[in-house]
Amino acid sequence: MTLKLNSEQLSATAALAVDLIRIPSVTPDDKGCNQLMIDRLSALGFVVEPMRFGNVNNFWARYGSTGPVLCFAGHTDVVPSGPEEKWQSPPFQPAIRDGYLYGRGAADMKGSLAAMITACEAVLTEGQNLNGSIAFLITADEEGAAIHGTREVINTLEAREEKITWCIVGEPSSTNQLGDVVKIGRRGSLHGKLTVHGVQGHVAYPHLARNPIHQAMLPLHDLSNEVWDEGNEAFPPTSFQISNIHSGTGVDNVIPGELEAQFNFRFSTELNETLIRQRTEAILDKYELEYTIEWKLSGLPFLTLNQVLINAVRESIREVNGVLTQPSTTGGTSDGRFIAPTGAEVVELGPCNASIHKIDEHVRLADLDELSKIYQGIIRRLLA
């Protein structure tokens, strides 16, 4: 059953989530989402600093001038909706069905952003003095290139020695129930583009050519079967995955002159970029290939070991919904990879992730209110 939305009948968190979802902020254009958040935060007394880099709008907002600093980090950009005709309701026209709020960005991560703001509104309107500061680091460049967003804001903060002590990233971390999983780290991500150079020729005269497809088979097999590490208590073993292979001219009587293969490493703290590159190139060199390789590091692995933030998160979740949370490092990358190297403790906590990036993305309405209460509990535990 689909209900017609009436903001007066929604909780403060759900109503704000609805307002954010209505804005078609497909990466990297926030379409005014940032301003909507800025207006709410400014009304609370936050000092807001818009930061535009390249074609991306970001902002840094801070309430208080002393440390420690608890930062809420997130992104207003969303991935494209896909075929709109396949959605039960238009992706940017929020709808409620059977207790769930539907719309692009509901779970990833406009629901979290709404909960962050209403949590601050609830705490700060109590008039309680804080032993430190609350901050927001918001970007519209997380789902896209991630070049002019959080990375640049962090560079700016570091240059003026403005430090984040604890950071809650609102990524949808939960699996089956709100708060059952929180991310305390992420694997690193390293991309490679391998070009194997051969000699083009006629298939009937292979002695006059050099087939890069044939040459690449064994080294790619070895790379796929290499045991890169065994992982550790916090991380699974490093994985290597080939994502694309391209070669050939499109006809069946020409030996191609090149093969291009794209691959990715998701790596644990047992390895680093240098070791991965050295071991990869050693395998390629064993087969005496003529090749070139381009590397792109998307992010280093990070792990929060200090228990101060983790305990505050764990206790707040248990207080609100009784869930015993499980720390995890699984999944892809997040903007936490840019924040953690500054020395900040980073935890990702948000709603269930089963529908993110899918048709009919949704979030449980009750989870939005519980998430706001959990965020409130974290603020009080760390700064009250």
Side-chain angles (χ1 to χ4, degrees):
M1 177 181 179
T2 302
L3 299 179
K4 185 176 180 180
L5 289 177
N6 183 340
S7 295
E8 295 180 356
Q9 297 174 348
L10 297 174
S11 69
T13 305
L16 180 53
V18 165
D19 289 342
L20 290 168
I21 294 167
R22 282 196 177 111
I23 301 173
S25 54
V26 176
T27 190
D29 191 348
D30 74 288
K31 293 286 188 182
C33 274
N34 287 17
Q35 191 60 51
L36 178 57
M37 294 183 67
I38 287 171
D39 291 344
R40 294 284 283 258
L41 293 172
S42 296
L44 287 174
F46 279 80
V47 176
V48 181
E49 183 178 357
M51 294 186 181
R52 182 174 174 86
F53 301 106
N55 62 341
V56 178
N57 289 324
N58 314 282
F59 72 84
W60 170 253
R62 182 163 172 169
Y63 183 95
S65 58
T66 63
V69 177
L70 170 61
C71 176
F72 288 102
H75 60 91
T76 53
D77 59 320
V78 298
V79 296
S81 65
E84 292 196 17
E85 66 274 11
K86 292 188 176 181
W87 287 67
Q88 293 185 61
S89 50
F92 298 108
Q93 293 181 23
I96 294 174
R97 293 191 292 275
D98 302 319
Y100 288 85
L101 172 62
Y102 286 78
R104 175 58 83 223
D108 188 14
M109 56 179 291
K110 292 181 176 181
S112 295
L113 298 178
M116 292 171 178
I117 287 180
T118 59
C120 290
E121 289 173 338
V123 172
L124 295 178
T125 54
E126 294 171 350
Q128 186 175 26
N129 292 327
L130 299 180
N131 297 317
S133 301
I134 304 174
F136 276 74
L137 194 171
I138 304 299
T139 182
D141 187 34
E142 196 274 346
E143 299 288 9
I147 294 173
H148 298 302
T150 300
R151 184 200 306 258
E152 292 284 0
V153 176
I154 286 295
N155 288 342
T156 301
L157 297 178
E158 285 289 284
R160 66 193 191 199
E161 299 183 352
E162 188 170 0
K163 290 288 188 179
I164 295 168
T165 311
W166 306 294
C167 184
I168 303 290
V169 183
E171 291 293 345
S173 62
S174 305
T175 302
N176 299 309
Q177 186 177 359
L178 178 66
D180 60 356
V181 174
V182 298
K183 307 291 185 180
I184 62 169
R186 293 281 192 161
R187 295 175 294 174
S189 179
L190 178 63
H191 303 274
K193 184 171 77 172
L194 169 70
T195 302
V196 179
H197 305 285
V199 176
Q200 183 172 317
H202 197 294
V203 295
Y205 302 95
H207 59 289
L208 299 177
R210 188 172 73 247
N211 194 321
I213 299 176
H214 294 180
Q215 289 190 306
M217 285 182 177
L218 286 178
L220 289 177
H221 176 270
D222 285 2
L223 289 169
S224 300
N225 286 277
E226 177 77 1
V227 177
W228 298 93
D229 59 47
E230 300 293 340
N232 53 37
E233 290 184 1
F235 289 94
T238 292
S239 70
F240 168 87
Q241 292 294 317
I242 299 171
S243 56
N244 287 280
I245 293 181
H246 176 74
S247 188
T249 63
V251 297
D252 60 7
N253 61 349
V254 177
I255 294 171
E258 285 188 345
L259 175 141
E260 182 181 287
Q262 293 176 301
F263 52 82
N264 174 264
F265 288 92
R266 292 300 166 103
F267 62 100
S268 75
T269 48
E270 296 294 308
L271 290 178
N272 57 48
E273 178 189 4
T274 300
L275 281 173
I276 294 172
R277 292 175 60 163
Q278 288 175 345
R279 288 175 60 182
T280 300
E281 291 169 12
I283 290 172
L284 297 173
D285 291 341
K286 182 174 69 174
Y287 290 94
E288 299 182 349
L289 296 182
E290 182 183 344
Y291 71 90
T292 54
I293 189 166
E294 299 175 26
W295 295 98
K296 183 180 75 172
L297 180 67
S298 292
L300 295 170
F302 70 89
L303 179 64
T304 296
L305 293 173
N306 193 309
Q307 293 297 304
V308 174
L309 176 59
I310 295 172
N311 285 341
V313 170
R314 180 185 290 116
E315 292 166 7
S316 297
I317 293 170
R318 185 167 57 227
E319 179 183 57
V320 171
N321 63 8
V323 171
L324 299 179
T325 194
Q326 177 65 43
S328 173
T329 61
T330 59
T333 59
S334 77
D335 275 2
R337 69 190 189 272
F338 304 126
I339 301 168
T342 68
E345 297 176 33
V346 178
V347 166
E348 298 173 24
L349 168 60
C352 293
N353 54 32
S355 69
I356 61 174
H357 291 205
K358 292 183 178 181
I359 301 294
D360 290 331
E361 180 181 350
H362 57 271
V363 65
R364 184 170 169 261
L365 273 176
D367 285 353
L368 294 178
D369 295 326
E370 289 187 0
L371 185 58
S372 179
K373 291 177 182 177
I374 291 169
Y375 288 155
Q376 292 172 43
I378 295 169
I379 296 170
R380 294 188 179 101
R381 283 176 169 83
L382 293 176
L383 297 179

